[in-house]
């Protein structure tokens, strides 16, 4: 293996033990490799590979199909859902329906939402601050 290449262990199939190995480390005079402990891989997308972002997009490509009122924008490992509604009540009601569906989708696909990286934003022509019922 050349420097900086990453490879999967023996076979590239899910459900078997895998390890990640790298070629020579920069500045390593011995030319040794680093290999992780073998782990069972049952789902997901390998991190740190060139194909990782593309595989992840394929993995989550059906996310927009679970939405009825919101729209989804997917880019690499970042997802944005957005919508346009006439009233705050409509926004609240319809968004919560789709957010429940998103929660189900994430659970089914064994993914989680990092709440600390999640935010919301309301854009409106109204000058007054919206109040929630």
């Amino acid at each position: 293996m050349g420097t900086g290449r990453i490879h999967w262990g023996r076979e590239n199939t899910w459900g078997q033990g895998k390890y990640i190995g790298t070629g020579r480390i920069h500045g390593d005079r011995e030319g040794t490799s680093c290999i992780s402990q073998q782990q069972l891989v049952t789902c997901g997308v390998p991190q740190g590979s060139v194909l990782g972002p593309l595989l992840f997009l394929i993995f989550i490509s059906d996310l927009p199909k679970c939405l009825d009122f919101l729209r989804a924008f997917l880019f690499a490992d970042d997802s944005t859902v957005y919508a346009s509604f006439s009233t705050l009540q409509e926004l609240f009601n319809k968004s919560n329906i789709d957010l429940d569906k998103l929660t189900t989708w994430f659970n089914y696909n064994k993914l989680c939402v990092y709440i600390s990286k999640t935010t919301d934003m309301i854009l409106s022509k109204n000058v007054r601050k919206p109040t929630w019922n």
Side-chain angles (χ1 to χ4, degrees):
M1 284 187 355
T3 303
R5 281 195 243 163
I6 296 175
H7 70 91
W8 285 98
R10 297 186 183 146
E11 295 190 28
N12 202 9
T13 57
W14 299 116
Q16 298 181 6
K18 300 288 178 252
Y19 63 89
I20 299 291
T22 62
R24 231 174 7 104
I25 299 172
H26 295 292
D28 182 7
R29 295 176 190 194
E30 304 296 318
T32 60
S33 296
C34 291
I35 297 177
S36 68
Q37 291 182 342
Q38 193 169 1
Q39 298 289 323
L40 181 65
V41 178
T42 59
C43 65
V45 174
Q47 294 183 354
S49 68
V50 174
L51 291 177
L54 175 62
L55 292 173
F56 186 75
L57 275 177
I58 292 168
F59 184 70
I60 65 168
S61 65
D62 65 333
L63 181 144
K65 294 178 184 177
C66 78
L67 303 172
D68 291 327
F69 305 108
L70 301 175
R71 303 278 184 239
F73 176 74
L74 309 175
F75 180 77
D77 65 345
D78 191 25
S79 303
T80 300
V81 291
Y82 61 96
S84 176
F85 297 106
S86 300
T87 66
L88 281 176
Q89 194 61 46
E90 184 183 19
L91 165 71
F92 181 77
N93 293 339
K94 291 183 177 179
S95 294
N96 278 322
I97 290 169
D98 273 359
L99 290 174
D100 286 342
K101 291 179 180 181
L102 276 175
T103 299
T104 301
W105 184 93
F106 275 90
N107 289 336
Y108 179 80
N109 287 285
K110 300 179 182 177
L111 295 171
C112 61
V113 175
Y114 288 99
I115 300 301
S116 63
K117 294 183 177 184
T118 303
T119 188
D120 61 69
M121 178 173 38
I122 298 175
L123 302 175
S124 173
K125 293 180 185 178
N126 295 336
V127 178
R128 63 184 174 86
K129 185 176 180 180
T131 57
W132 297 100
N133 296 335

